[in-house]
């Protein structure tokens, strides 16, 4: 396995990894910032949620580009290339799903007061 081959395999996993990581950071960040948001109004949670939704969507775009770039390689690869394409499509779906989850949490944090404990 060459370095370029290892790098291209990471592209297939980008959406699978970046979406859940961004969601986990967003979830914990919203809980941490809730205490401070109650004392004074801050938009740092909104900025964080928007940035992490963009990170999740970036993983989706990277996985989608890996699918498009590797479509012709399926026929040239002796092993088929099916598992890599499957993981890339799973990354596309996972990235979109987690971006939507982050957007829903962002909407909930805008509508519900953090002081309601």
């Amino acid at each position: 396995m060459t370095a370029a081959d290892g790098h291209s395999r990471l592209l297939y996993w980008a959406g699978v990894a970046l979406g859940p990581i961004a969601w986990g950071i967003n979830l914990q960040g919203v809980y941490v910032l809730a205490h401070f948001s109650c004392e004074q109004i801050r938009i740092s949670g909104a900025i964080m949620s928007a940035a992490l939704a963009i990170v999740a969507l970036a993983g989706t775009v990277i996985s989608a580009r890996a699918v498009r770039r590797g479509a012709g390689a399926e026929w040239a690869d002796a092993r088929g290339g099916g598992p890599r394409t499957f993981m890339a499509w799973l990354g596309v779906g996972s990235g979109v799903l987690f971006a939507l989850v982050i957007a829903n949490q962002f909407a909930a944090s805008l509508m519900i007061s953090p002081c309601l404990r």
Side-chain angles (χ1 to χ4, degrees), residues 11 13 17 20 28 35 47 67 69 84 99 102-103 108:
L11 295 178
W13 283 86
Q28 295 303 315
H35 175 70
I47 293 170
V67 168
R69 186 179 58 161
R84 284 182 281 174
I102 292 170

Side-chain angles (χ1 to χ4, degrees), residues 65-81:
R65 289 190 69 203
V67 168
R68 197 178 92 198
R69 186 179 58 161
E74 286 183 22
W75 301 104
D77 191 6
R79 293 178 292 174

Side-chain angles (χ1 to χ4, degrees), residues 10-20 55-67 83-99:
L10 290 176
L11 295 178
Y12 290 96
W13 283 86
V16 177
L18 287 178
V55 167
L57 289 174
T60 300
V61 170
I62 292 170
S63 289
R65 289 190 69 203
V67 168
R84 284 182 281 174
T85 304
F86 173 74
M87 287 308 301
W89 279 115
L90 187 66
V92 170
S94 176
V96 169
L97 177 70
F98 280 102

